[in-house]
């Protein structure tokens, strides 16, 4: 079945870049997503990438996809304290319904 | 703000009881998915409804059931509650049938505690 893995924790200083990594197993993944979850809140869709793309940039966010290694990363430039949250990588396969499989989440701590 | 609302915000139930959670989809969306998020975990897919029909299901037992109404609002029902059902329940609405990409918009969740 599908599996999505992430490291649990990342700590960076304000102003530095953050890189959050994710690996997945489903070779039929069509879209891969990054979601942000702040304490006590639901999930906010940050960005997504189609599986035939290598890179996508969206303001401070850069997504890199290595489909051969099934590796996805999210780079946040000029990380701010407001970026402190849990970040989830997720993928959707090519099945008949739109099931999204989430990773375990990476907690990003931004130190002022 | 995603426009997806859920009620109630918090709920405490006793083992063996039944619970109904509600979700109001974003305007114009025709699909709702429900997820269970245990503490410290990522959301786990429960099931999805498209145009009032169940469109897919994750590894959850039949005591987890749902409904989608003509106005695309939805309910999640859980019977015979167990302690392990304690979690944050998230609903997500989306528009299927309009091509890529598939974007889900999440509500704030309902925190269920089973004692």
């Amino acid at each position: 079945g599908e599996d999505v893995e992430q490291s649990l924790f990342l700590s960076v200083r304000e102003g530095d870049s953050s890189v959050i990594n994710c690996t997945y197993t489903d070779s039929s993944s069509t879209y891969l997503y990054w979601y942000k979850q702040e304490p006590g809140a639901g999930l906010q869709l940050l960005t997504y990438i189609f599986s035939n793309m290598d890179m996508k940039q969206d303001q401070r966010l850069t997504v890199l996809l290595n489909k051969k290694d099934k590796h996805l990363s999210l780079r946040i430039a000029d990380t701010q304290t407001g970026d402190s949250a849990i970040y989830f990588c997720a993928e959707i396969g090519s099945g008949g319904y739109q099931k999204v499989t989430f990773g375990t989440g990476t907690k990003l701590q931004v130190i002022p | 703000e995603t426009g997806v609302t859920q009620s109630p915000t918090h709920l405490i139930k006793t083992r063996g009881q039944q619970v109904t959670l509600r979700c109001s989809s974003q305007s114009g969306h025709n699909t709702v998915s429900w997820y269970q998020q245990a503490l410290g975990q990522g959301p786990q897919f429960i099931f999805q409804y498209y145009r009032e029909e169940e469109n897919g299901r994750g590894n959850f037992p039949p005591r987890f059931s749902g409904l989608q109404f003509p106005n695309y609002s939805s309910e999640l029902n859980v019977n015979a509650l167990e302690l392990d059902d304690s979690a944050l329940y998230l609903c997500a609405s989306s528009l299927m049938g309009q091509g890529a990409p598939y974007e889900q918009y999440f509500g704030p969740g309902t925190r269920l505690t089973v004692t």
Side-chain angles (χ1 to χ4, degrees), chain A residues 34-38 42-47, chain B residues 2 104 106:
Chain A
W34 285 103
Y35 282 86
K36 175 183 180 182
Q37 187 175 38
E38 297 182 82
L43 279 76
Q44 175 194 354
L45 176 63
L46 290 176
T47 187
Chain B
T2 62
Q104 289 187 320
F106 282 81

Side-chain angles (χ1 to χ4, degrees), chain A residues 31 33 37 48 92 97-98 103, chain B residues 35 37 42 48 55 100-102 107:
Chain A
Y31 285 94
Y33 304 85
Q37 187 175 38
Y48 61 88
I92 186 167
Y97 62 93
Q98 307 288 355
Chain B
Y35 293 83
Q37 186 179 19
Q48 181 179 88
N55 190 42
Y102 177 63

Side-chain angles (χ1 to χ4, degrees), chain B:
Chain B
E1 289 286 328
T2 62
V4 180
T5 60
Q6 292 186 243
S7 62
T9 307
H10 296 88
L11 201 53
I12 299 174
K13 289 285 190 177
T14 303
R15 190 170 50 183
Q17 286 188 315
Q18 179 266 342
V19 69
T20 297
L21 310 182
R22 294 178 175 83
C23 171
S24 180
S25 297
Q26 186 166 308
S27 177
H29 284 181
N30 56 16
T31 303
V32 66
S33 303
W34 283 91
Y35 293 83
Q36 181 195 67
Q37 186 179 19
L39 202 60
Q41 302 293 318
Q44 298 290 315
F45 176 78
I46 302 175
F47 45 55
Q48 181 179 88
Y49 279 80
Y50 171 62
R51 292 185 174 177
E52 303 174 56
E53 297 284 333
E54 188 179 291
N55 190 42
R57 191 176 186 93
N59 295 326
F60 281 81
R63 60 190 184 83
F64 285 78
S65 63
L67 283 172
Q68 187 184 29
F69 300 101
N71 65 355
Y72 300 126
S73 63
S74 177
E75 286 182 356
L76 164 66
N77 298 290
V78 187
N79 293 322
L81 283 166
E82 300 177 1
L83 297 178
D84 284 350
D85 295 334
S86 294
L88 181 68
Y89 287 85
L90 296 163
C91 101
S93 79
S94 56
L95 182 61
M96 198 185 303
Q98 299 296 313
Y102 177 63
E103 297 183 19
Q104 289 187 320
Y105 296 90
F106 282 81
T110 293
R111 173 73 62 188
L112 173 65
T113 303
V114 182
T115 62

